[in-house]
Amino acid sequence: MSDQPSVTYAVDAENVGWITFDDPASRANIFNPATQAALRDAVTSLAAQPLKAVVVVSAKEKIFIAGADLKWLARLPDATAATQVAREGQQLFGQLGAFKVPVVCAIHGACAGGGYELALACHWRIASDARETVIGLPEVGLGLIPGWGGTTRLPRLIGAPAAVGHMLKAALVPAAEALAAGLVDELVPVGELKARAKAAALRLAAEGLPARPAPPATPADFFASQRKSALTRHRGQPAPIAVLDAVEKSAGLPLAAALDLEAALFGGVATGEAARNLLHVYFLKDTAKRITMDAWFPTVGGSLSPDASGRKAPPTAPFRTIGIIGAGVMGSGIAHWCALHGYGVIMCDEKREAIEHGVTVIRELFRDAVRRGRLTHDEAHKMTGGIGITTSLEDFEICDLIIEAIVENVAAKQKVFAELTKIAAPDCVFASNTSALPIEELSSTVTDPGRVVGLHFFNPVGRMPLVELVLSPHTTRATADRALAFVKSLGKTPVICKSSPGFLVTRVLFFYLNEACRLWEQGVPAEQIDRAMRDWGWPMGPLRLIDEVGVDVSDFIYGEMQHYFPGRFAGTTVCSRLLAAGLKGRKNGTSSGFYEYAEGKEGLNPALARFAPATTLAMDPKAIQDRLNGVMIDETRRVLAEGVLKTADEADLALLLGAGFPAWRGGLMRFAGTAG
């Protein structure tokens, strides 16, 4: 461990003081007690010298300051301790703001949370134009609020409506967007950042700080409408309401009084249940980034079953060219995402019209990325050009990974894999995007089933972060390692599963959806079922979710679950009846299922009455919640008992990212009281 402090200071020949963040023990700068002590020492020492100005910089390549050490915050014992942490951070940043000379913050890389609160305390903010420079206050996403001056200083800089919108969105924004929003004052080429920061500091020293215009006035009904919205969009979460309280109640107060209010509100939420749970979820995601196959292959053998010969697994090579079979919603989504991450892609479909539609979808996805400023036009054009199209599997002979994303039919998938065995290179890995079918059944036609793995992406591929990586009893360590590296290279979160019908997410989710249909068939109105689950925290009710997934898909998977779990899964019939009437939800160009979707409006489908039971059953919302959540809990426990996943934490992460379980609840098994 290095003795070098994480914050150093120096004074150059022109009497400009430099405060440099560079934690020698980490690739990121974060605030913890040691960093705060080093910054306090730097600020105190520089304040005693005859300076013209001060510049704050980071020596890291991609991260300015990533915020507070979340492990430190998670250990805070109570609200009193959390309030004290907020006050100490405010006082430290206040010393920067109280400098008698201008203080310029030069931002390159991620500037998040406490990092941006430090920048707000400075007199001038300059950001590099590099793609890695992103700026903002994401605390609400962790169940916290900005507690080191963010809720106080940002509204005074850009106005309450804009500040509240930014904090409740809880996202980091690119530097150009930060400039447009007023979060920073200048945007400069990354190679000129330090020189331009010093020039600005000397200019401000000579000319004085510029008079900033008064921020826009706050509409009279702004906070009332925001509270109403927060109670719907952020059900059960106190942090958004605390942000609104901090901004509204501190308006017009002296800075010191406003900061006291902010510290007390921070203390009130930082050690609450929602914050504890959201921090737990953050750590689950962070752990998943470092997951390996070691738990699944305890020896150096070749397959899930220990290899008695003790053969050393061959070295794994990264994939370069990805073949995608199927140009539908999933196939085109996977093709786009692979191309976006630098892979060569060949997309195949036996139907020319399907290929043409898939290409149209991919082009629109890239156009959308350009509109959002995530890609340049030239980058999007190059990536689109990197996707080849074909109607013949024979063109896949150059691929080193082939992913099938065709119809959920065992025979059809077996036929594809049999053909690939004749065409593909011996070291090419075969993957299925199946959401429910056991991999060993699909790979039965493959000469070497050890090279087959499941890669279950979720729809829409560009937004859903989870990939279930599914291992059959035959999958080799080399295949598994290559597939895991591939998933990580796509920026996805992997959860590793043993092959089993439905794996985890599909199995647990459709037990839940089927039980919701059963309640409806027993007479509980659709709106009551969905409202109860939304009020509990789910982003949408289960019947509304069936419309989103597709009534046809739901009915098919009910059949699969009944086939694989005949003693425990009794499929309901409402989805098949809706299908017979042509009601498929929001899929396949249709716009009605349990609900109608027309002209941007959404409402219960009157046609549903034709299928409803004769009598209505009133049911308490908590009873609905307990029954439906209970079904998921019971099935997840069975999945874990069967060894489909290794830990309850992994099950929680999969359901959080793949099924929409409310993150502020911490995870299904955490909610159920099961140890991870």
Side-chain angles (χ1 to χ4, degrees):
M1 190 171 183
S2 174
D3 293 331
Q4 180 183 342
S6 54
V7 183
T8 58
Y9 64 94
V11 179
D12 67 19
E14 295 178 78
N15 284 334
V16 173
W18 292 83
I19 296 175
T20 302
F21 283 80
D22 188 11
D23 185 345
S26 173
R27 67 179 184 84
N29 294 314
I30 58 173
F31 277 115
N32 54 33
T35 305
Q36 289 180 317
L39 176 59
R40 188 175 293 108
D41 180 56
V43 170
T44 302
S45 298
L46 289 175
Q49 300 188 45
L51 303 176
K52 292 180 179 178
V54 174
V55 179
V56 181
V57 297
S58 165
K60 300 299 185 186
E61 291 184 4
K62 295 184 178 180
I63 297 177
F64 176 70
I65 302 173
D69 181 346
L70 296 181
K71 292 180 180 178
W72 169 41
L73 296 185
R75 291 192 297 267
L76 294 175
D78 51 36
T80 300
T83 300
Q84 183 60 28
V85 164
R87 286 183 175 138
E88 290 174 356
Q90 291 172 349
Q91 290 165 2
L92 176 58
F93 292 171
Q95 289 181 260
L96 280 174
F99 257 106
K100 303 299 184 184
V101 298
V103 180
V104 173
C105 189
I107 302 167
H108 170 67
C111 178
Y116 183 59
E117 288 178 290
L118 175 143
L120 282 171
C122 298
H123 305 123
W124 198 253
R125 289 160 289 280
I126 297 180
S128 80
D129 61 0
R131 180 169 292 173
E132 54 263 37
T133 299
V134 288
I135 297 166
L137 298 171
E139 285 89 343
V140 168
L142 295 169
L144 308 169
I145 70 168
W148 289 339
T151 70
T152 300
R153 290 190 172 93
L154 188 60
R156 297 176 187 215
L157 179 67
I158 63 174
V164 165
H166 179 76
M167 287 185 279
L168 294 189
K169 189 176 180 182
L172 303 182
V173 300
E177 189 175 332
L179 177 67
L183 303 184
V184 297
D185 299 301
E186 293 183 57
L187 190 64
V188 303
V190 61
E192 301 176 14
L193 179 63
K194 289 186 178 180
R196 295 279 290 272
K198 179 175 179 177
L202 291 172
R203 182 183 71 248
L204 294 173
E207 301 174 2
L209 299 177
R212 296 187 181 273
T218 305
D221 64 344
F222 173 75
F223 289 103
S225 65
Q226 287 293 310
R227 280 191 175 83
K228 182 178 179 181
S229 175
L231 290 172
T232 300
R233 295 177 58 203
H234 303 280
R235 289 180 182 86
Q237 300 179 60
I241 301 300
V243 164
L244 292 168
D245 285 345
V247 177
E248 181 179 26
K249 294 177 181 179
S250 67
L253 290 179
L255 180 62
L259 291 172
D260 281 344
L261 172 64
E262 177 187 85
L265 289 166
F266 175 87
V269 299
T271 56
E273 183 180 5
R276 297 288 198 206
N277 284 337
L278 285 165
L279 287 170
H280 172 71
V281 169
Y282 173 87
F283 296 136
L284 289 183
K285 294 177 182 178
D286 189 57
T287 298
K289 297 175 184 177
R290 298 185 296 277
I291 194 170
T292 71
M293 286 291 168
D294 290 348
W296 291 92
F297 297 87
T299 72
V300 294
S303 68
L304 282 178
S305 301
D307 189 334
S309 71
R311 288 178 302 140
K312 186 175 181 180
T316 59
F319 300 128
R320 299 175 304 279
T321 304
I322 315 300
I324 310 292
I325 305 175
V329 172
M330 292 305 300
S332 57
I334 296 169
H336 158 260
W337 200 251
C338 290
L340 182 67
H341 286 78
Y343 289 97
V345 177
I346 303 174
M347 185 170 66
C348 175
D349 200 294
E350 61 184 3
K351 298 178 181 178
R352 173 60 63 177
E353 59 271 24
I355 285 282
E356 292 172 353
H357 178 71
V359 169
T360 299
V361 169
I362 290 169
R363 285 175 175 162
E364 179 54 34
L365 289 169
F366 277 120
R367 278 195 290 266
D368 183 63
V370 173
R371 285 193 295 267
R372 294 172 180 269
R374 295 173 181 171
L375 291 176
T376 66
H377 181 273
D378 288 346
E379 288 171 333
H381 180 74
K382 181 179 179 180
M383 290 172 181
T384 305
I387 301 176
I389 57 174
T390 182
T391 57
S392 172
L393 290 179
E394 292 184 0
D395 291 324
F396 280 6
E397 62 183 1
I398 65 170
C399 297
D400 37 28
L401 169 65
I402 301 172
I403 305 171
E404 68 81 11
I406 65 171
V407 63
E408 286 285 84
N409 179 279
V410 172
K413 292 177 186 290
Q414 288 174 336
K415 180 181 178 183
V416 164
F417 282 132
E419 293 177 11
L420 290 177
T421 301
K422 302 172 186 175
I423 297 166
D427 60 348
C428 178
V429 169
F430 300 160
S432 175
N433 184 55
T434 179
S435 62
L437 303 175
I439 302 302
E440 60 272 23
E441 289 189 25
L442 308 184
S443 64
S444 62
T445 57
V446 178
T447 304
D448 178 10
R451 59 159 141 174
V452 183
V453 70
L455 291 176
H456 178 207
F457 291 81
F458 290 75
N459 185 38
V461 175
R463 292 209 305 267
M464 298 295 283
L466 179 68
V467 172
E468 286 180 309
L469 198 164
V470 187
L471 307 175
S472 85
H474 311 292
T475 304
T476 66
R477 174 71 188 254
T479 296
D481 282 341
R482 295 179 78 189
L484 180 60
F486 170 67
V487 171
K488 291 181 179 180
S489 75
L490 295 178
K492 297 296 185 183
T493 300
V495 170
I496 304 168
C497 307
K498 181 179 77 173
S499 179
S500 178
F503 319 133
L504 172 79
V505 174
T506 298
R507 176 172 163 180
V508 172
L509 182 62
F510 280 88
F511 267 80
Y512 162 72
L513 297 180
N514 187 56
E515 193 66 17
C517 289
R518 194 181 319 282
L519 285 180
W520 184 85
E521 291 181 349
Q522 292 171 353
V524 183
E527 61 270 31
Q528 289 187 20
I529 296 170
D530 281 358
R531 186 186 308 117
M533 301 315 291
R534 289 197 310 270
D535 288 346
W536 193 81
W538 286 90
M540 64 178 67
L543 303 181
R544 173 64 181 79
L545 180 57
I546 288 172
D547 278 2
E548 200 69 26
V549 171
V551 176
D552 53 347
V553 171
S554 299
D555 187 58
F556 170 79
I557 295 181
Y558 289 170
E560 292 298 299
M561 293 294 100
Q562 188 161 301
H563 168 72
Y564 288 111
F565 304 104
R568 293 192 299 102
F569 191 100
T572 52
T573 63
V574 59
C575 286
S576 62
R577 286 181 281 153
L578 291 176
L579 273 181
L583 303 175
K584 296 184 179 180
R586 300 191 76 183
K587 270 182 59 89
N588 304 324
T590 64
S591 60
S592 59
F594 285 94
Y595 295 82
E596 282 188 319
Y597 312 90
E599 299 178 356
K601 296 181 180 180
E602 180 180 313
L604 198 66
N605 188 355
L608 199 60
R610 299 188 328 221
F611 312 99
T615 58
T616 297
L617 174 65
M619 194 170 183
D620 180 75
K622 187 176 186 304
I624 295 172
Q625 295 160 0
D626 289 347
R627 180 163 165 179
L628 296 184
N629 286 327
V631 166
M632 297 189 81
I633 290 167
D634 289 345
E635 200 57 34
T636 303
R637 285 174 172 158
R638 290 189 183 98
V639 167
L640 291 167
E642 294 168 13
V644 178
L645 286 88
K646 293 296 186 183
T647 69
D649 278 350
E650 290 172 307
D652 280 352
L653 182 62
L655 293 170
L656 284 157
L657 300 182
F661 185 89
W664 61 273
R665 295 277 188 183
L668 182 68
M669 291 292 95
R670 182 177 171 91
F671 169 74
T674 301

